[in-house]
Amino acid sequence: MKKSLGQNFLIDRNVAEREVGYANITKDDVVLEVGPGKGILTKLLADKAKEVITIEIDEKIVRNLTGKLSDNVKLIHNDVLKLDFETLPKFNKIVSNLPFQISSPITFKFLEYNFDLAILIYQKEFAYRMVANYGTKEYSRLSVNVYYKAKCEILEIIPKTCFKPQPKVDSCTVKMIRRKVPPFIQYNEDFFFHITKNLFNHRRKKIKNILKELYKLNRNNIPYLDKRVEDLTPEQIGNLCNILYKILF
Ligand code: SAM
């Protein structure tokens, strides 16, 4: 078992079956899985899907699984973060018990790809931040960026006792539906992500002070100046970004 690779294997078959059940898989679906581990989800997915593409970084796991999976499973030995998804067969669903170390980069990599539905297991704290509403302590850059790209909800909390070795914290199943159109229009998406990051880096400061310090902007015709970013909805942050974009460019 390699702790550095987030190898906390799911040992509860009921949880595994529910996880796969949430994805409503049919024989038309091509499913991507990250990290098959001992194959608990992979085998259930293979029974229902047209094809499963499963990507595993650990050579030993790949060796153990080779020859033990059905013909409709494509097992790829690679680091999922280094793999170009465009080189894979086109997949429409993602189901995974994710290695917690790569939660953030893999989520954003998924969100760049045109999938329909993802059912993913994350550590609880991360999952809470993904779906958090403004005004809560979990509301973060992650919440805003994920909201912009996807509709996201927590389906269940999975106790840490369902994994071996047992992690320190509980996990959550998260359902993510990628948006075909964003919930609000941005003049420049990169600028929106950049400003969101800077605002949340100073989440306790008023917007007017952040704008003064970072962008030397000292105007009073900008909205939300006396608010803090944690009290702005994603739509309001988007509105602020469009106004700043017009001023700065
Ligand atoms: N799916 C199995 C289960 O539910 O029991 C294993 C899940 S375990 C939390 C995460 C798996 O992802 C491990 O098999 C680990 O080796 C693999 N993994 C970790 N980092 C990876 C990466 N960057 N690319 C591909 N696989 C990775």
Side-chain angles (χ1 to χ4, degrees), residues 4-11 33-42 55-58 61 78-81 96-100 102 121 163:
S4 63
L5 295 178
Q7 291 181 350
N8 300 100
F9 300 113
L10 185 58
I11 51 166
E33 185 195 17
V34 173
K38 296 185 177 171
I40 184 168
L41 294 173
T42 324
I55 300 156
E56 176 57 60
I57 197 172
D58 186 342
I61 288 185
N78 209 332
D79 177 346
V80 69
L81 296 178
S96 300
N97 171 18
L98 291 170
F100 70 91
I102 62 166
I121 298 178
F163 302 90

Side-chain angles (χ1 to χ4, degrees), residues 46-63:
D47 286 343
K48 299 191 172 204
K50 179 176 166 197
E51 188 178 359
V52 179
I53 307 157
T54 189
I55 300 156
E56 176 57 60
I57 197 172
D58 186 342
E59 194 183 344
K60 192 167 163 225
I61 288 185
V62 173
R63 246 186 288 123

Side-chain angles (χ1 to χ4, degrees), residues 8-19:
N8 300 100
F9 300 113
L10 185 58
I11 51 166
D12 187 317
R13 196 168 164 93
N14 292 328
V15 173
E17 279 174 4
R18 277 207 301 280
E19 173 89 356

